[in-house]
Amino acid sequence: MAKKQKRYAFLINLERCIGCNACTVSCKSFYDLHPSINRRFVRETSELLTGTPKRNYISTSCNHCDRPACATACPTGAYIKLDNGIVKHNQDRCIGCRMCATACPYGVPQFDPVKKKMDKCDMCVDRLEAGEQPICVVSCPLEAIAIVDLNEIDESQVVADLPGFADSSITGSSTRFILPKGTTVVRGGIKSWNTL
Amino acid sequence: MEHAMTLVIFTFLSQMAIGAFACLFFIDTYKEKISERSTVISLITILAISAVAVVVSVFHLGHPFAAYRALLNFGASWLTREIVFFPLFMFFVLLYTFFAKTKAQKQILGWTTVVFGAVTIFSTAMIYTIPSVPAWNNGTTLAAFFLTALLPGPILVQLLLALLEKRTVNFNLYTTVVAFLALLLNGVTVSVLKSGLPAAVESAGLLTASPLFWIKIATLAAAFALAGYFLLKKKAGTVSTVTTLFALVIVAEFLGRILFYSSGVHL
Ligand code: SF4
Ligand code: SF4
Ligand code: SF4
């Protein structure tokens, strides 16, 4: 039987992420990105994802969508959805019209003010093809970022949507998240305020 | 959106030029005799406005000299489609200017030009009818873009004819109705945004908190009142009336377009 084509996607483990930004910085450094742009972002997200207050972080980059709005908007056809799921941007075609940044629900493509073209995560496709993991994956000290095959993943253990993250059904975002576990530890400050 | 001014100018001028051509074509072919000199000067003005729109739009690009590559994604991108159809509109305005002599020629070339113009406006509106900006992702975008063609466009023609032929073509009924529709659209837009996603509600807040929005409403209301007054008086109005009307709708529509871009909150 022919081997099924892989569909690569990011799996972000919120239980593990501590918001250290190692992924953002290592990617930026590896690709020598302009100071004003990043391919990966880490931000704080809702403290109530699990029902009890707990600080949570979310690391996101391009979501390598199934129906990429960037590709539909781009007048030069600079974006292609590869068979392996990766949405790749061809900078040689880009003319810097920024339409992709407007159309992407996640505002992912960033304008490089020196090259005057867009830049975005390509899931380190060259490294993946060489059998290596992406830079952000290997640099995360908590192993909170992984590359998974959407054909293999148990979807019941992950989610595609989070508060503050644009509805995944708009473009078919491929990123999956592992939600943080609930905690029984309630911060002293909050507890004492409540019991005052 | 600091780079949006080029888009404001392009969309505003291109839509006004399309509306102006449609109006001139209807008058020229179906309504009344306009001297050839006035027709040609008006058409060249429309072409000049269109050319300015194109030149300004190219400066929006990071690589203006690679603009030709924007033609490569006709199958998927509304931006490519706009970039194909607007020059086609301009080309047919040129053909109409120099080759439409008989009524049949005027009809064929005129209608073709109007269709390319309408498809351009439709394509421009579709570029912005996208889920990532909920305030734009509804029919008000298309309505607003067509109103920019339908309001300042014909008044530009009225002004040109008033200056060139020293007579005022009476558009008062038309202007009153379209200015009223433009006023109505503002109310509809705000209520659509207020009932939308949080980003659209934020856009509604930005819109109504902006003094530019209220200046736009005031200028549209003034245009409606002025055209309505002359309609009731059954007078065509003078050159200065038409100039005032043109100034009012230009300010209203231009401010409206600035607000469109500045209040479009991304998801
Ligand atoms: S996240 Fe944005 S840039 Fe990435 S594939 Fe989806 S639409 Fe395109
Ligand atoms: S900025 Fe480049 S990649 Fe983005 S839509 Fe324009 S041409 Fe395409
Ligand atoms: S996969 Fe590569 S390009 Fe994408 S965010 Fe990670 S390090 Fe950067």
Side-chain angles (χ1 to χ4, degrees), chain A residues 75-76 95, chain B residues 66-75 80-81 83-85 87:
Chain A
T76 66
I95 55 173
Chain B
Y68 67 91
R69 287 209 290 267
L71 298 171
L72 293 173
N73 200 12
F74 190 85
T80 301
R81 292 168 191 159
I83 293 164
V84 168
F85 289 121

Side-chain angles (χ1 to χ4, degrees), chain A residues 10 23 26-28 31 39-40 61 64 120-124 134-137 147:
Chain A
F10 286 114
C23 51
S26 59
C27 168
K28 192 173 176 108
Y31 289 105
R39 290 186 182 180
R40 181 166 280 285
S61 64
H64 301 279
K120 81 159 194 82
C121 158
D122 64 358
M123 213 186 254
C124 292
I135 292 295
C136 55
V137 173
I147 300 293

Side-chain angles (χ1 to χ4, degrees), chain B residues 94-175:
Chain B
L94 198 69
L95 290 183
Y96 185 93
T97 308
F98 296 107
F99 299 106
K101 301 292 174 210
T102 66
K103 184 161 181 173
Q105 288 168 341
K106 283 182 180 180
Q107 281 179 337
I108 292 169
L109 289 172
W111 276 111
T112 312
T113 316
V114 168
V115 168
F116 280 133
V119 177
T120 302
I121 299 175
F122 182 77
S123 303
T124 313
M126 291 310 288
I127 293 171
Y128 298 103
T129 310
I130 43 177
S132 60
V133 184
W136 299 346
N137 194 27
N138 54 66
T140 62
T141 301
L142 188 67
F145 286 12
F146 269 102
L147 271 173
T148 302
L150 295 174
L151 195 54
I155 301 177
L156 170 66
V157 171
Q158 198 182 17
L159 180 62
L160 286 169
L161 295 181
L163 294 171
L164 294 164
E165 305 233 314
K166 306 279 178 272
R167 67 188 168 109
T168 316
V169 188
N170 193 340
F171 280 177
N172 290 327
L173 174 62
Y174 174 86
T175 307

Side-chain angles (χ1 to χ4, degrees), chain A residues 42-57:
Chain A
V42 178
R43 59 197 157 87
E44 229 177 306
T45 183
S46 167
E47 289 210 347
L48 297 170
L49 286 179
T50 58
T52 43
K54 183 184 180 190
R55 189 162 291 174
N56 295 308
Y57 296 91

